[in-house]
Structures are given as C-alpha cells and as structure tokens.
Amino acid sequence: MQIAQQLQNANKKVQLIYAFNGSGKTRLSRAFKDLIAPKNSEDHNGGEIAPPRNKILYYNAFTEDLFYWDNDLDSDVEPKLKVQPNTFTDWLITLLQELGEDGNIASNFQRYTSSNINPVFNQRYTKKIRNFDEQEVDLVVPAFSEISFQVPINRPVIAAQTDSGASVVDAPIQGQYQIIKISKGEESNFIWSVAYTLLEQAVLIRNEANIANRVTDKFNSLEYVFIDDPVSSLDDGHLIELAVDLAGLIKKSAYVEGKGLKFVITTHSPLFYNVLHNELNNDLKKRNQDGTSSWIYKRGQSEKYRLEKKADGNFDLITSNDHPFSYHLFLLAELRSAIKDGQIKKYHFNFLRNILEKTATFLGYLRWEDLLQTTSDGVPDPFANRILNLSSHSAHSGEEVAEIEESDKERLAQLVSFLGETYRFKKQEAENV
C-alpha cells in the first residue's frame, strides 16, 4: 500500500493516525508489516531467505487471534487461554523465560481492568491424550503456552466488634483460588498487557547504548512498533491512563538523528487520539549527571494524520498536526461535504445522531431528541426523529437498504442546516478540522 510506504519514508519517531472503524487500519498495519518484514522469498539458488520478522513488533486484531480458549469441555473444570507459536509469542517467551516479566504482565492487566484476577503461565508438563488409533500417548505441553486466570476464594471474617454488633467483610483464603474464564473484554486487555509489557522491556533494553551490556539480544534488530487500536474494551478513565502511559514510554525511547525505535499508532477513538496528540506535543528533558539537561523528546519528532477512505476505494493520509481532533466538528464537515457532493449514504444519518448525542450531553439535555425541531405544540419533530432512529439503529438486518430515498436525503440536509444555525456551529470550524 502506498500509505505504508509513506509512513516508512516519513522517518519520524512517532506517527499517530485517526480513522473510522472500517477505514482500513488493520489492513494498513498488515501492509506496513509486509513492507518492513516481507514474507520468505527465494534466493538465486532456489532456497529461502529468512524473513526479517524481528524488525517490527505489531499489535492488531491478528495479535489477538494468536490467543484462543481451551475450555476443558470434557471435565469442565479449568478453562485455559492457549498461545499459538508465532514471532510475537517467541518474543513473549523471551519476556517470560529470560526476563521473568510474568509479574509485570499481571500487574499491568490488573491495573487496566481494576480487578484482582491473576493470570498464571504454565510450566512445561506432560499429559495423556488419545491418538487417532485411540491409544493413550504422552503429549508434552511447552512452558508459557497456556494461561489460567485465578481469583481468590473469599470467606466472611469479623473486621471489627462494636456495641452494636460485628462488622463482617469478605477476605481471601490464603492459597485458595478459583480458575475462571475471563470475559472477551478482559481477554483483550490481557493481550494488550502482554504487548505493553513486551514494549516496556524492548524500550528499556534498547536504551542501553552498549549492545554488549544488554540483558538479551532479542530486540537488537527491532526498528518499528505498529499499534492498532488497543482500546476497544477500556472505559474512559483507563483509556486516558493507557494513552498517557504509552506516550511516556514512546518519549523515553532513545532516538537520535533519525535512529532508534519508530512508532505508528492507529485508532478509531477520538479520546485516545486527543490524549496522545496532547501528550506527544509536550517536550521531555532529562537531567544529566553533570547537572546539565538534554532533550529526550521534542514535538517535531511526531506526525499526526487522519486516514480517510475515498469513494473510489483508495485512501488519503491527511496531516493533522495543528490541533487535537474535534470529533463532532469532523463529523459535521463530513456531512456537509456529502450533502454538497450529493453522496449521502446511510451511515451519514448515524453521524448526525452522534453529533446530536454529544451536543445534548454538552448542553445538559437529558435526551438528544430535545435538540430537534418541534411541532406547533412543542413536541420534537416526529419525522426527523423517525428518520434518525430508522437510519441509525435498525432492529433487523433485513431493514438495511443500500439506497436512500431522495426525500430522506433532503430531510438530512435540512436537519444539518437547522443544527448549525440553531446551535451556532461555525461552518469554517467544521470544514477546517
């Protein structure tokens, strides 16, 4: 992909990209990975050249696919999250076996989920299985290829005794726990915690300038880190925490005269984008031993973009360095552009609803419908309400239609005009986002 080449040619320490879901972020991460670490190709003697997979560490939807559940359906006792062999999981084994970072993975997971669930990696063991001939044979399970999730078993204990009676609380029983299957959101957070801990160690180790003094050589060839949307299951508080942590880690990564780790981050979350945007605009210095200071990071080392999918299926990467992302203004600009060009699609009604919901929250209305035009008796326009509901939240897939009636397109244009005039959205603000 041309945009992947553009990102490589930019030669920036960090590049931050906003894009809607479905705009090609995951495909971009794969294209970038294939550009940096192409698949095996034959040499002139007909052999294979080993791919330089150790040049890029990437996190995306495919990373999550490397982890899958063994639900122990036979005994229904101990569900385990299993790990498929891969370059990423090879690095994971380095993280656990050579660096002993399983405790930090657990700490990061508990911090981002605000839970006491403890992930535990297995040690190497042998178990009995039946082969195709129904004969019982030994199967060796490698170390660090399975994760079980433990929660403590509690019992009521007396915390305090007063004249009015005893205060009873639940306290964990020492050494006793239950193995559970975590939710899909918790699973995503765990996999991100693995990736983040791996990244922490890569930055720390590579910041040792003398290669001979590094505790492992596994990250010596690493050049790029590509992170695609690590935020799908986080609430706003943890999302902000993650963005601040990630920005701080990036800024501390050694980078001198274009040499050092380079980061590409894509997201569909306006909040995540804006926190990162602001954090990456803050310079960072360090104090030297002689009392002087030197720059660790300067804002000119970053580049911010929007990834936009065009009508012909191609993509544009639009520079957006000047200010954080005003999501509602961007949606309004998209709506005005679609109306102007006669390219209104079904999803544009969803854009308008999103704008109304955010505006209602900002202005203190309990319902976004209260922002709509009203009839003579003060009731929100039922036609506008119906259009927005039908176009945004159809109850059945059979209700989805590709074409929009002309009358509905006209009504959308009227609603956008009413919103801009009534709530003072300046056209130039929306159009220049």
Side-chain angles (χ1 to χ4, degrees):
M1 183 187 286
Q2 182 180 356
I3 291 178
Q5 187 68 63
Q6 181 179 341
L7 294 173
Q8 184 186 32
N9 293 343
N11 196 29
K12 291 286 186 178
K13 179 173 183 176
V14 53
Q15 298 178 86
L16 175 62
I17 303 170
Y18 176 85
F20 287 120
N21 271 334
S23 295
K25 299 189 310 299
T26 301
R27 279 175 287 167
L28 177 59
S29 71
R30 294 290 292 180
F32 190 79
K33 178 258 181 188
D34 291 340
L35 177 65
I36 303 303
K39 295 179 180 180
N40 291 358
S41 59
E42 290 189 357
D43 62 21
H44 295 297
N45 298 319
E48 283 194 344
I49 302 172
R53 301 177 203 159
N54 54 352
K55 292 175 64 177
I56 182 169
L57 169 63
Y58 67 96
Y59 174 92
N60 60 13
F62 294 97
T63 309
E64 295 199 8
D65 290 342
L66 298 174
F67 295 78
Y68 64 99
W69 284 98
D70 176 357
N71 291 314
D72 193 17
L73 297 179
D74 291 335
S75 55
D76 194 27
V77 175
E78 295 188 351
K80 299 173 182 176
L81 190 64
K82 305 188 76 172
V83 185
Q84 298 187 54
N86 172 274
T87 305
F88 177 85
T89 51
D90 287 346
W91 267 324
L92 171 58
I93 291 174
T94 298
L95 193 66
L96 298 168
Q97 189 168 305
E98 296 186 26
L99 305 176
E101 285 294 303
D102 50 326
N104 282 335
I105 291 175
S107 296
N108 284 327
F109 172 64
Q110 291 169 351
R111 182 160 57 93
Y112 288 127
T113 57
S114 296
S115 73
N116 62 352
I117 301 172
N118 185 37
V120 178
F121 290 86
N122 73 298
Q123 298 299 313
R124 184 178 184 273
Y125 70 95
T126 302
K127 67 178 182 179
K128 298 289 185 181
I129 63 167
R130 291 190 177 277
N131 61 16
F132 291 113
D133 298 325
E134 290 299 316
Q135 295 177 330
E136 195 172 71
V137 296
D138 289 335
L139 174 67
V140 176
V141 179
F144 314 119
S145 62
E146 298 176 344
I147 307 101
S148 59
F149 295 87
Q150 303 175 353
V151 293
I153 296 176
N154 296 328
R155 65 179 176 186
V157 297
I158 296 176
Q161 186 74 46
T162 66
D163 293 340
S164 59
S167 174
V168 179
V169 297
D170 285 337
I173 303 174
Q174 185 68 29
Q176 294 192 32
Y177 56 85
Q178 178 184 5
I179 295 177
I180 64 169
K181 182 176 181 179
I182 58 177
S183 69
K184 184 63 178 175
E186 290 167 332
E187 180 186 333
S188 295
N189 283 333
F190 170 74
I191 297 168
W192 166 249
S193 297
V194 171
Y196 182 76
T197 308
L198 181 60
L199 183 56
E200 282 183 308
Q201 287 302 305
V203 169
L204 177 64
I205 291 168
R206 286 180 54 88
N207 279 355
E208 171 55 61
N210 188 339
I211 294 178
N213 290 338
R214 293 178 180 175
V215 296
T216 180
D217 62 358
K218 295 297 194 300
F219 303 111
N220 287 354
S221 299
L222 185 61
E223 297 179 11
Y224 289 93
V225 176
F226 196 115
I227 298 172
D228 174 31
D229 256 341
V231 299
S232 58
S233 56
L234 292 174
D235 58 38
D236 286 354
H238 287 110
L239 178 58
I240 293 170
E241 182 181 18
L242 186 153
V244 171
D245 290 345
L246 182 57
L249 188 61
I250 290 171
K251 291 196 284 189
K252 292 175 184 175
S253 176
Y255 189 82
V256 180
E257 296 180 351
K259 295 182 179 179
L261 280 183
K262 300 179 180 70
F263 298 81
V264 180
I265 305 170
T266 62
T267 182
H268 75 283
S269 166
L271 177 59
F272 187 63
Y273 179 92
N274 282 346
V275 175
L276 278 173
H277 188 291
N278 288 328
E279 290 295 314
L280 294 173
N281 273 351
N282 295 327
D283 301 331
L284 182 64
K285 283 185 176 182
K286 70 173 180 179
R287 296 288 296 178
N288 301 320
Q289 292 182 348
D290 60 4
T292 62
S293 62
S294 57
W295 294 107
I296 298 177
Y297 170 84
K298 299 196 73 172
R299 68 188 69 185
Q301 295 173 341
S302 66
E303 193 79 30
K304 294 96 174 179
Y305 309 96
R306 291 199 320 271
L307 178 65
E308 295 188 2
K309 187 175 182 179
K310 299 190 293 186
D312 61 4
N314 291 317
F315 297 85
D316 276 338
L317 197 60
I318 301 171
T319 301
S320 182
N321 283 322
D322 51 348
H323 49 69
F325 185 43
S326 299
Y327 182 59
H328 61 295
L329 294 182
F330 176 68
L331 292 183
L332 194 54
E334 289 287 296
L335 281 171
R336 285 171 170 160
S337 177
I339 293 168
K340 179 181 178 182
D341 297 338
Q343 295 295 321
I344 297 174
K345 305 295 182 183
K346 192 169 184 297
Y347 61 83
H348 287 116
F349 290 87
N350 202 19
F351 284 8
L352 182 56
R353 179 169 179 147
N354 196 307
I355 294 168
L356 286 166
E357 288 172 345
K358 293 182 185 304
T359 304
T361 299
F362 178 77
L363 295 177
Y365 289 94
L366 294 177
R367 305 185 315 146
W368 59 264
E369 292 92 337
D370 294 335
L371 299 177
L372 297 175
Q373 295 163 291
T374 58
T375 60
S376 57
D377 56 358
V379 177
D381 185 345
F383 180 76
N385 201 341
R386 180 183 69 83
I387 289 295
L388 286 169
N389 275 311
L390 286 177
S391 298
S392 301
H393 298 286
S394 296
H396 306 284
S397 60
E399 295 176 6
E400 299 288 343
V401 292
E403 296 297 325
I404 306 296
E405 294 182 7
E406 288 301 319
S407 60
D408 292 343
K409 293 179 182 180
E410 292 174 4
R411 193 58 177 144
L412 176 68
Q414 293 171 6
L415 288 172
V416 170
S417 177
F418 171 80
L419 183 64
E421 293 172 1
T422 304
Y423 300 102
R424 306 293 182 113
F425 287 105
K426 295 181 180 179
K427 288 188 177 183
Q428 62 266 28
E429 286 181 345
E431 290 167 356
N432 292 330
V433 170

